[in-house]
Amino acid sequence: MQAEHRDHVHGSDGHRHPVDFDPTAAGPDPFPPEGVGGRPLRIGIGGPVGSGKTALTAALCRTLGEELELAVVTNDIYTTEDADFLRQAGVLERERIEAVQTGACPHTAIRDDITANLDAVERLCERYSTLDLVLVESGGDNLTAVFSRGLADVQVFVVDVAGGDKVPRKGGPGVTTADLLVINKVDLAERVGADMEVMLADAHRMRGELPVLAQSLTDDPAASAAADWVRQQLAAHRSAVGPAAG
Amino acid sequence: MALRTTTASLAVLTLADARFPGGGHAHSGGLEEAVHRGAVSDPRQLREFLHGRLHGAGAQAAVFAAAAAHAAARRVHPHHWSRLDAEFDARTPSPAQRAASRAQGRGTFRAGRAAWPSEVLDELLTITGSPHHPVVVGVLLGAGASGTPVEAAFVTAYLSVSGPASAAVRLLGLDPFAANAAVAALEHEAEGVAEAAARSAGESPEDLPGTSAPALDLLAQEHQRHHREEVRLFAS
C-alpha cells in the first residue's frame, strides 16, 4: 500500500518517491552485482512448485539454443527429474545440463550456501569455454526464495495463474525484487476463475518499475517475450564486461 | 580438559557453524542411506549412528585436520600437502566418501579463502583444485585464521555428527530438540577424539593413524548407487 501524497525526499539529488508502508515491498535490489569479468551471464529462474519453471527453461533453450552457447543447472528437491525432462525434451545436449542435490533445502542451495550450484556452473564453464549464458533453475519453493547475487546476475520469478490470482499481492522477495516476474499459464485464467487484470495490477503495484510478463507457453511455445528479455540482459552484460571470449 | 582452558576463536565458531556456506548442508554422511534402509528411524538410533560417525569418519577427519593445522603453522614445503592428500585417500576406501570429502573441501576452500586468505591456502590449491575437507579446515585455522590443531580436530569431529543430525531432522521429521541433544551428548567423546588427533598432529603423513568404519563405507557406496537409480535428497 502506497501513500501517494506523502512523498519524501532523500539523496544528494533530492529525488522523490512515494513512501511505501508495505513491509514486503523491498523494491529493486540496491546492491551492485559482483564482478563478472568475461564469464557467461547467469540467470536464475525461481518460483513455486508447478508454476512452469522447467517449461520456461525448456522454451528458452529451444528458442535461444541456435543463437547462443547455453547451459542449464537444475536444483530438484528430489531426483534429477527436471534435468531428465530437459534431456528428454531434446532441447539441449545432455552434457550441457548439470543437476545438483540440495539436501532437502532448495532455497539454501540458491541463496544461503551456493557452493553446489557454483561448482555445477564451473563444471559447465570448464566443459564449454565459450558459454554465453547459464540458466540456473531453482527447485520449486516458496515466495521468499530468491537467488543470491553471488550465483545469479539477474533472476526471473515465475508464478502461475492456476496458483491463484492473489499470489502477486502476497508479495515476498521473489515477487517484489526479481528482475523479471513471469505470470505463467494465462490461457487457464478463465478456467480457474483468475482475474488477470487484478493479477497484473497487483504485480505492477508490488514491483514498481520492474517488468512483469504475462505468458502462455501453450499459445506461444517459444516464450518469445521472455527470450527477448534474456537477449536484452545478455546485451547489457556484454557491454558491461566486454565480449565473453575475452 | 585442554579445550576448557581456551576461548574458541571466532574462526573456530564460524567454521563449525551450520550457516557456514561451504556446501555441507547437502551432505548427510550416510544418514540418508541408513534411513532408507530402516537402520535409523528414532532419536535412540540416531544417537547410535552419530556415535559411529564420530569414532569412524569423524576421528579420521580430526587426525588430518590437526595434522594440517600443525603443518600450516610451520609453513611446510608444498610437497607436504600432496602427501597428506594421498594419505587421506589411502585411509578412505570408499570412492563415494572420497568424492564427498573433496566436494566439501572445495566448497570450504571457496568460502574460507574469502574470509581467511593465506599463502598456505594458495599453495594447497596448487596440489589439487578439490582438497580434502579436513585438510582445508586445518589449513584455514593453522595459517590464515587463529586456531590450533586441537581446535581444527574438534571442528571436524563436530561437523562429522552435526551434518547427519540435521539431515535426520529433514529426512525423518525428527524432533529437532532430540537431534540437537544427541549431538550435545557427544561432548566428552568429541573432546577425546580431538585430543587424540592433536597428539598425532606432528607425525609424518605416512604415520598418521587410520580409523576404519566399513559400515559407513558401504552406506556411502550404496547411497551413490541409489542416486543413479531412484530418489536421493543429499549428495552423500
Side-chain angles (χ1 to χ4, degrees):
Chain A
M1 64 191 84
Q2 291 181 349
E4 303 293 347
H5 307 295
R6 293 176 60 185
D7 292 8
H8 76 285
V9 183
H10 72 128
S12 54
D13 60 347
H15 68 273
R16 305 171 71 87
H17 59 78
V19 176
D20 193 333
F21 294 108
D22 185 339
T24 63
D29 188 324
F31 302 103
E34 293 278 311
V36 291
R39 65 160 174 75
L41 176 67
R42 303 198 292 238
I43 298 185
I45 298 180
V49 176
S51 60
K53 297 180 294 300
T54 309
L56 175 61
T57 303
L60 290 174
C61 291
R62 212 177 292 121
T63 305
L64 299 170
E66 294 285 308
E67 61 191 89
L68 298 176
E69 280 272 348
L70 62 87
V72 172
V73 179
T74 62
N75 286 250
D76 290 313
I77 302 177
Y78 276 99
T79 56
T80 56
E81 178 136 341
D82 286 350
D84 291 343
F85 175 85
L86 290 172
R87 286 170 187 139
Q88 280 155 17
V91 292
L92 271 191
E93 302 150 52
R94 299 179 73 89
E95 295 73 27
R96 288 180 182 267
I97 304 166
E98 283 277 334
V100 303
Q101 279 76 39
T102 62
C105 287
H107 54 275
T108 303
I110 61 163
R111 185 185 61 201
D112 310 78
D113 184 352
I114 56 180
T115 296
N117 272 294
L118 284 180
D119 281 345
V121 169
E122 285 174 9
R123 280 197 296 275
L124 289 165
C125 290
E126 280 167 20
R127 212 172 293 153
Y128 300 98
S129 58
T130 56
L131 282 178
D132 300 302
L133 174 65
V134 179
L135 299 174
V136 184
E137 184 197 337
S138 82
D141 211 309
N142 58 60
L143 295 173
T144 66
V146 290
F147 284 83
S148 158
R149 296 279 162 177
L151 175 60
D153 300 311
V154 288
Q155 51 194 304
V156 182
F157 199 73
V158 183
V159 299
D160 77 299
V161 166
D165 58 13
K166 288 191 292 298
V167 169
R169 196 182 314 156
K170 289 180 182 173
V175 167
T176 57
T177 70
D179 300 285
L180 175 68
L181 178 72
V182 169
I183 300 177
N184 215 1
K185 308 183 193 175
V186 293
D187 52 305
L188 296 180
E190 211 171 302
R191 293 286 183 92
V192 298
D195 188 331
M196 279 314 297
E197 265 181 50
V198 168
M199 219 171 167
L200 283 166
D202 284 347
H204 283 296
R205 183 174 56 82
M206 297 302 285
R207 289 171 55 76
E209 288 171 11
L210 289 168
V212 179
L213 184 63
Q215 71 172 22
S216 158
L217 294 176
T218 307
D219 298 341
D220 176 18
S224 315
D228 280 342
W229 181 84
V230 170
R231 290 187 190 99
Q232 287 168 20
Q233 300 304 312
L234 198 59
H237 174 78
R238 281 174 174 156
S239 67
V241 303
Chain B
M1 294 278 169
L3 285 165
R4 294 277 164 76
T5 61
T6 59
T7 304
S9 69
L10 193 59
V12 169
L13 297 179
T14 307
L15 280 166
D17 193 335
R19 296 182 187 87
F20 178 75
H25 76 97
H27 293 264
S28 80
L31 193 276
E32 183 173 20
E33 184 63 28
V35 166
H36 175 73
R37 293 171 164 266
V40 175
S41 61
D42 61 30
R44 183 186 61 79
Q45 290 166 330
L46 176 64
R47 283 198 298 276
E48 285 178 14
F49 182 89
L50 296 183
H51 174 84
R53 270 289 292 179
L54 177 63
H55 292 280
Q60 190 65 82
V63 162
F64 277 76
H70 185 266
R74 287 188 302 125
R75 291 302 308 266
V76 291
H77 188 276
H79 178 60
H80 192 85
W81 303 119
S82 299
R83 290 165 65 201
L84 270 179
D85 191 74
E87 294 298 331
F88 190 84
D89 268 352
R91 286 159 181 73
T92 314
S94 153
Q97 281 199 325
R98 291 202 293 273
S101 171
R102 289 190 184 279
Q104 291 176 79
R106 180 183 168 88
T108 301
F109 172 86
R110 186 192 280 117
R113 182 177 47 187
W116 308 284
S118 71
E119 282 178 29
V120 185
L121 197 60
D122 294 338
E123 284 170 5
L124 174 64
L125 198 69
T126 63
I127 304 302
T128 166
S130 301
H132 281 298
H133 178 248
V135 176
V136 176
V137 171
V139 168
L140 286 173
L141 286 174
S146 48
T148 60
V150 74
E151 286 175 324
F154 200 46
V155 166
T156 49
Y158 167 73
L159 289 175
S160 76
V161 292
S162 65
S166 165
V169 172
R170 283 180 262 169
L171 289 167
L172 292 164
L174 221 57
D175 175 4
F177 307 131
N180 186 60
V183 173
L186 292 168
E187 179 170 5
H188 295 303
E189 285 183 51
E191 284 180 1
V193 164
E195 285 163 7
R199 284 195 290 276
S200 63
E203 292 184 17
S204 72
E206 297 77 19
D207 296 331
L208 288 171
T211 61
S212 163
L216 287 174
D217 296 339
L218 292 172
L219 287 174
Q221 289 306 115
E222 277 300 282
H223 181 100
Q224 199 175 51
R225 190 176 68 77
H226 278 128
H227 242 322
R228 290 193 289 270
E229 293 174 358
E230 52 186 288
V231 169
R232 278 297 176 270
L233 287 157
F234 287 81
S236 79

